Amino acid sequence: MGEKAQTSAWAHDAPDDDALAIKPQARKPYDPDVTFEEYHHYAKLTRAEQLTLEPPVLNVRTLFGGSSKAKTSAEDESADPALTAKNYTRENRANITDEDWTNASRAMRTASAGACFYLITTDVLGPWGSGFAMGTLGWGPGIAFYLSFGFMAGYSGYLIYRMYLGLDSYQFPVKNYGDLGYRTMGAPGRHVANVSQALSLVMLTGQITLQFGLNISQASRFRLCYAACPVVFACVGLALTQIRTLKTYGWIANLGVWLNVAILLVTVGVIASSPPNYAIATLGSAGSAVDRASIMPVDGVYPPVTHYSAAPTGGLVGSINGMMTGVLAYTGAQLFVEFMAEMRRPMDFLKAMWGAQTFICCVYLVYGCIVYKLQGQYAFNPSYQGVSIYAWQTVGNMVTLISALICAGLYANIGIKVVYNNIFIDLFNAPPIGTKPGKIIYASIVPVWWAIAWVIAAAIPDFFGFVSVMSASVLVNLTYGFPPLFALCFDIQKNAIRQDQGEGFNPQTGQTTRKDSAWKHWVRGFFSGGMRQVALNIWHAVYFLGALVMCGLGMYAAVEGLIEAFKLPRLSSFSCQSPLNLSAQP
């Protein structure tokens, strides 16, 4: 077969083969003419330069609102960050020099590995369902689940990290999860990733609104109409989300993890010295998920606390729902790209990610085992509502309410930006979000976003059932499905390049040369790189298919669980009757 040269970009009206290629800054966003080989070429140049840079040192002040910018070179000090907002429109970018383009990209990368450790921990830490998950799985499967899924979440993070290093560059920065999908699978990969991420963030906002609508309902001793409780939470969250920049959240967002740690310690102490909250065990406890008879009183006496060594017999649907609750614990991977995009040396991200994942896994496992040991089948989700002393219930509800408002505001902020950048700008040619019209459009989307969150909270008052739906439908794929799929496509394209035969990207001419058809190129790439690489490709394909199977099983279990839960007379949509109010039962 004759040689094929795919032109990735040429100057307009180029008269001959000596014409210069179009520069990266003159490209349109998501230019289909930019090939994988070109992205990978510039990524290697960027990594080589970043290896020579001194890593920034985490300033303790950044954890409490101080400036996070660390200027460690004269090069960064000379860069004008305003260029990225003021001058880098599609029409003006062709006039920007190569040096200004790369310097502006460098100036936006200032975070350290220590800061990323803290960001991951803040985003993911929230172990309130771990005792419930242990109760639905039993000691052996529960411990195995948290260890294995924690490790695999870390492995997925490693795959995202490896792809980021191979595709991100100063010339073509990777800014979000969808960019990985685009550069490994094309436009379909980008759209699937972006839609999944947007859905996950709106559902997470709805989940938090539901959870803390229940908080407000319980703290008010059910005097407030339940349907109005999520409205109270949503209104405050709506006000917070009008803040467009994440930097503005900095001084208070770091408070969230410390509040969670405080309530974690409080609930352990109270649970150890008081009985379970029997009154709400029929909704949201491990027993209600796997064996309702184990939590129903006989002659006014509740069954004793029991434990299972293995998964409870006949509780498959409940056990899968418990696993979906555990999956929620490891769903920070969808934001890892945003974290690395802020790092001066993204190759340092790996130690931050594994450190944070190890810490989080240990916290979940230890806390889950303690709650399950003390409360057994009565372990409730969330655990601080499973406290039987009302005063301590209220402490847990109110303190976690503050951290939840911060978290919900952040999820809404990022989610609306994903929707704005990938729907409004791409499809409707909306102006950049930093312009005055963009700010107005952003502000108008915020109430719609929170209205959707309220509808979710009021329509599906079964908390752990909704968590199962959300985890199975989008979170499993974002954490365990997409990373191996994207990594498989990344490795195939990388290993298909035969540089010894003249294939690859030529920066002088702008050509990407491939010597066979697209189909043969992909097949050859799958079987290239040696036996170890082929085995890795097969493993990533199996990993992806396994995530799809888990997604299907999780959706089945979630729907079955919701059908069973809605048989309870006090569980109804858009009702004033709180699901937690036992006295309201017929």
Side-chain angles (χ1 to χ4, degrees):
M1 180 177 291
E3 179 176 303
K4 295 184 178 181
Q6 178 176 335
T7 302
S8 63
W10 291 90
H12 296 293
D13 302 320
D16 52 51
D17 288 349
D18 293 328
L20 292 177
I22 295 177
K23 296 180 179 180
Q25 59 266 35
R27 308 274 197 186
K28 61 183 180 181
Y30 301 105
D31 192 332
D33 290 332
V34 183
T35 61
F36 175 90
E37 287 86 344
E38 186 170 357
Y39 287 129
H40 190 53
H41 167 79
Y42 284 111
K44 289 190 291 185
L45 297 180
T46 299
R47 299 289 88 80
E49 177 184 320
Q50 288 174 339
L51 283 171
T52 67
L53 301 177
E54 288 291 331
V57 178
L58 176 63
N59 187 338
V60 177
R61 290 191 307 113
T62 64
L63 304 184
F64 302 96
S67 172
S68 62
K69 185 165 185 178
K71 294 181 180 179
T72 55
S73 72
E75 190 172 55
D76 285 345
E77 293 175 3
S78 65
D80 181 6
L83 285 173
T84 59
K86 183 179 179 181
N87 301 100
Y88 286 7
T89 62
R90 186 179 302 181
E91 295 78 12
N92 295 335
R93 287 189 301 179
N95 299 322
I96 299 169
T97 66
D98 294 349
E99 184 178 5
D100 283 344
W101 180 259
T102 54
N103 279 347
S105 183
R106 293 185 188 105
M108 302 302 293
R109 303 169 186 239
T110 59
S112 66
C116 281
F117 171 87
Y118 192 83
L119 282 170
I120 296 170
T121 305
T122 303
D123 173 55
V124 178
L125 187 63
W128 315 124
S130 57
F132 166 86
M134 291 289 296
T136 63
L137 294 168
W139 284 118
I143 293 173
F145 165 79
Y146 272 102
L147 290 176
S148 60
F149 273 63
F151 175 79
M152 294 311 298
Y155 181 71
S156 292
Y158 164 73
L159 295 179
I160 292 172
Y161 157 86
R162 189 163 64 86
M163 287 184 287
Y164 181 89
L165 294 188
L167 294 170
D168 167 76
S169 63
Y170 293 139
Q171 291 77 13
F172 297 104
V174 172
K175 297 180 179 179
N176 53 58
Y177 201 8
D179 286 353
L180 291 182
Y182 180 75
R183 299 186 189 191
T184 56
M185 297 186 64
R190 175 189 170 219
H191 295 318
V192 169
N194 284 331
V195 168
S196 298
Q197 188 177 25
L199 281 176
S200 76
L201 290 169
V202 73
M203 293 174 79
L204 282 166
T205 308
Q207 174 250 321
I208 295 173
T209 304
L210 166 59
Q211 180 177 348
F212 290 91
L214 292 170
N215 273 29
I216 295 170
S217 172
Q218 189 181 54
S220 69
R221 289 186 181 269
F222 314 119
R223 295 187 182 94
L224 286 178
C225 172
Y226 169 70
C229 292
V231 173
V232 174
F233 183 87
C235 286
V236 180
L238 186 152
L240 284 174
T241 312
Q242 291 292 349
I243 302 171
R244 288 176 298 102
T245 59
L246 293 180
K247 180 180 178 181
T248 311
Y249 284 101
W251 70 273
I252 192 171
N254 303 296
L255 181 64
V257 66
W258 303 116
L259 293 176
N260 285 339
V261 169
I263 294 304
L264 184 151
L265 297 175
V266 166
T267 52
V268 167
V270 176
I271 288 173
S273 57
S274 61
N277 188 353
Y278 299 116
I280 63 171
T282 53
L283 182 75
S285 71
S288 70
V290 295
D291 183 9
R292 193 169 293 274
S294 69
I295 56 172
M296 301 301 293
V298 178
D299 297 327
V301 178
Y302 284 90
V305 170
T306 58
H307 305 92
Y308 299 94
S309 297
T313 304
L316 177 62
V317 169
S319 294
I320 295 175
N321 281 325
M323 289 175 64
M324 292 300 104
T325 300
V327 165
L328 183 63
Y330 296 118
T331 55
Q334 61 175 307
L335 299 181
F336 285 179
V337 173
E338 281 82 353
F339 295 162
M340 283 186 282
E342 296 285 339
M343 292 187 69
R344 181 175 178 80
R345 286 168 46 97
M347 59 281 296
D348 295 336
F349 175 80
L350 196 61
K351 61 184 179 183
M353 187 273 296
W354 277 118
Q357 292 285 17
T358 301
F359 172 74
I360 291 164
C361 180
C362 291
V363 170
Y364 283 146
L365 190 57
V366 172
Y367 183 72
C369 287
I370 292 174
V371 172
Y372 182 48
K373 173 64 178 176
L374 296 173
Q375 292 195 324
Q377 77 276 26
Y378 296 102
F380 196 80
N381 183 19
S383 58
Y384 49 81
Q385 290 181 355
V387 172
S388 59
I389 302 174
Y390 173 76
W392 288 113
Q393 281 179 20
T394 304
V395 170
N397 283 328
M398 293 299 98
V399 173
T400 54
L401 181 64
I402 298 171
S403 61
L405 282 169
I406 299 168
C407 187
L410 289 172
Y411 282 140
N413 183 290
I414 296 171
I416 292 172
K417 287 177 180 176
V418 169
V419 171
Y420 189 93
N421 291 329
N422 294 285
I423 295 179
F424 283 81
I425 290 181
D426 275 11
L427 300 183
F428 303 110
N429 294 318
I433 202 169
T435 64
K436 185 175 181 179
K439 294 176 184 178
I440 294 173
I441 297 173
Y442 174 90
S444 65
I445 298 173
V446 171
V448 176
W449 184 274
W450 280 98
I452 295 172
W454 174 78
V455 168
I456 291 172
I460 313 176
D462 178 36
F463 176 70
F464 82 82
F466 176 68
V467 167
S468 297
V469 170
M470 176 178 63
S471 296
S473 60
V474 288
L475 298 183
V476 165
N477 290 321
L478 286 166
T479 301
Y480 300 104
F482 295 156
L485 176 63
F486 294 165
L488 175 62
C489 295
F490 173 85
D491 285 336
I492 287 175
Q493 294 180 84
K494 184 169 75 76
N495 292 317
I497 302 171
R498 295 180 295 191
Q499 293 181 336
D500 59 336
Q501 298 185 27
E503 291 189 341
F505 173 70
N506 186 329
Q508 280 71 44
T509 64
Q511 283 187 329
T512 295
T513 302
R514 297 174 184 172
K515 294 189 175 182
D516 49 21
S517 65
W519 173 251
K520 289 185 177 180
H521 183 81
W522 279 76
V523 171
R524 178 163 51 80
F526 186 91
F527 293 102
S528 298
M531 291 300 297
R532 179 179 177 276
Q533 182 60 54
V534 173
L536 197 62
N537 292 340
I538 295 172
W539 157 241
H540 286 158
V542 172
Y543 184 15
F544 167 67
L545 293 175
L548 286 184
V549 171
M550 187 173 181
C551 173
L553 284 174
M555 285 300 298
Y556 164 75
V559 171
E560 288 293 320
L562 283 175
I563 292 173
E564 187 67 25
F566 270 95
K567 292 180 181 179
L568 292 174
R570 59 187 166 132
L571 195 65
S572 58
S573 301
F574 303 101
S575 171
C576 273
Q577 181 176 302
S578 173
L580 300 180
N581 187 3
L582 182 68
S583 63
Q585 286 192 97

